[in-house]
Amino acid sequence: MTPLPDRFCPTDGTRVPSASLAWCCPACRGPLDLDFAPTPAPLKSLAGRVNSLWRYAECLPLATPSVSLGEGRTPLVELTDGISAKLDYLMPTLSFKDRGAVLLAELALRLGPRGVVADSSGNAGTAIAAYCARAALPCTVYVPFGTSAKKLEQIDVHGARLRIVEGDREAAAAAAREAADEEGVFYASHVYNPYFLHGTKTYVHELWEDLGGRLPDVLVVPVGNGTLLLGAALAVAELHSAGLIDRRPALYAVQSAAVAPLAHAWAEGADDLVGTTPMAPTLAEGIAIPRPPRARQILRAVRDSGGRFLTVTEDQLRHAQRDLASRGLFVEATGVASWAAVREGALGGRSAVVPLCGAGLKSGVAGADGASW
């Protein structure tokens, strides 16, 4: 079996051995990156490979998976002239989080913990629960009060222990981290564990393959904790370094106007978060993160790409969800954020792809119950 790469802290350089269950930097408690710089396979060599994200084996820090549910290889469909959507809600658990969850479950299986814990506003929790069920690993998922009932049902039916935390998304994360500090526990964090990012990067590898060895001018990505955006940045860097693309697309990061700490920092020209962002109700619950731990990395990735931040209102989210539904695509409110940001001409005619990240069945029609959020 191929040795696992070590992890390291991007802030202070502290290294963490590959077999350790430590979930953060022991010095600063920050998130970790992976000491892994792969070279992607040329386009022609992908023909005939397994029809899942594992076809990009050279770029993944784990090989020969045992817990795969066939995740990846989601369709790409045109929305308007120049803008296409990648239907990442057509995953085993109906969200893009499967891309990273499968790597976390595979890693946990190899490290052999006595249990797995995760925290989530819903989709990451359902993905972790499903893949832990596949791996026969005991799993506990912490979610904030008010999480969609359908997402709670998904987590529960996969056999995970559900812990509903009084408070917001940050409170759920704090409870999970406390449990993760116990001996023998694997923290399947989609934020702190870099294996998750190396799963989400396959989103861009698939785009590159499906577009015949190129990428659009712009990748538009919803951002809360930034796992899809940072994964996209990893893939773009890998493809560019290997000479498989000759230019890097701009990364456009989308936040809900109600909870937009990164967009605020961007507007201030800052390298990190500025001030305090209060939690506020928003239809885009999956990206309502007041203090994303990888904020500096997210801001740097967008800046280095020549991209920008966009925000969307609650009305824009409602209208975008119904607009997509009128085109045959039922997507949850968080998952329509990217389309909400660009559907009325924000791209200036440049080509782009937007991810549709979660199925509408997970949370229903925005505002259908008469509520404002």
Side-chain angles (χ1 to χ4, degrees):
M1 187 176 292
T2 304
L4 298 174
D6 285 345
R7 290 163 291 157
F8 69 94
C9 176
T11 300
D12 57 36
T14 301
R15 298 188 71 82
V16 176
S18 60
S20 171
L21 289 174
W23 58 268
C24 65
C25 172
C28 72
R29 301 284 287 181
L32 299 169
D33 283 347
L34 206 59
D35 189 2
F36 182 61
T39 300
L43 192 64
K44 290 181 179 179
S45 71
L46 298 176
R49 292 192 180 189
V50 61
N51 192 37
S52 73
L53 63 80
W54 295 95
R55 68 197 281 111
Y56 310 107
E58 292 87 350
C59 292
L60 296 174
L62 297 167
T64 59
S66 57
V67 300
S68 175
L69 292 168
E71 56 286 330
R73 301 298 292 146
T74 53
L76 187 65
V77 300
E78 186 178 88
L79 293 177
T80 64
D81 186 24
I83 303 179
S84 295
K86 188 160 175 58
L87 311 191
D88 252 28
Y89 67 89
L90 297 180
M91 287 279 201
T93 76
L94 307 182
S95 91
F96 88 95
K97 296 287 176 63
D98 290 7
R99 294 186 183 277
V102 66
L103 266 76
L104 293 187
E106 190 71 40
L107 177 62
L109 192 64
R110 298 185 188 195
L111 296 181
R114 63 178 175 84
V116 174
V117 299
D119 59 274
S120 171
S121 59
N123 284 339
T126 61
I128 297 296
Y131 283 95
C132 281
R134 181 75 166 175
L137 289 166
C139 177
T140 302
V141 180
Y142 294 78
V143 300
F145 182 80
T147 297
S148 164
K150 288 296 183 183
K151 293 177 182 178
L152 298 181
E153 186 176 51
Q154 264 192 293
I155 294 169
D156 182 65
V157 78
H158 288 307
R161 297 174 64 192
L162 192 59
R163 294 288 181 265
I164 299 175
V165 178
E166 291 291 335
D168 60 15
R169 181 68 181 80
E170 293 292 311
R177 291 167 195 164
E178 183 178 354
D181 282 332
E182 296 178 11
E183 187 175 354
V185 174
F186 177 88
Y187 184 24
S189 172
H190 56 293
V191 182
Y192 281 80
N193 195 309
Y195 279 81
F196 196 92
L197 305 181
H198 284 269
T200 62
K201 75 182 181 184
T202 59
Y203 170 87
V204 168
H205 283 286
E206 289 179 18
L207 280 182
W208 169 77
E209 182 181 1
D210 289 343
L211 292 173
R214 62 180 182 85
L215 290 173
D217 299 326
V218 179
L219 295 172
V220 189
V221 185
V223 173
N225 277 310
T227 56
L228 183 54
L229 183 137
L230 291 173
L234 279 173
V236 168
E238 290 170 2
L239 292 165
H240 190 264
S241 295
L244 296 174
I245 54 173
D246 57 10
R247 58 168 184 79
R248 301 179 186 228
L251 297 174
Y252 277 36
V254 181
Q255 295 209 284
S256 164
V259 185
L262 293 160
H264 175 63
W266 178 265
E268 295 292 320
D271 294 330
D272 205 344
L273 300 179
V274 177
T276 301
T277 299
M279 190 64 181
T282 176
L283 293 165
E285 61 178 3
I287 54 173
I289 309 295
R291 291 174 291 279
R294 292 187 184 269
R296 292 183 66 88
Q297 289 178 296
I298 296 165
L299 289 162
R300 184 171 63 248
V302 173
R303 186 173 292 112
D304 289 350
S305 76
R308 57 183 293 200
F309 277 81
L310 301 170
T311 60
V312 291
T313 66
E314 303 304 291
D315 279 345
Q316 284 178 300
L317 290 166
R318 290 188 188 91
H319 296 155
Q321 187 188 47
R322 292 185 179 275
D323 177 58
L324 286 171
S326 74
R327 301 165 187 260
L329 304 168
F330 186 29
V331 184
E332 68 171 329
T334 298
V336 307
S338 294
W339 178 234
V342 302
R343 74 187 187 99
E344 295 180 351
L347 295 173
R350 282 171 292 177
S351 63
V353 172
V354 299
L356 304 184
C357 299
L361 294 174
K362 283 176 169 281
S363 54
V365 178
D369 57 359
S372 61
W373 64 284

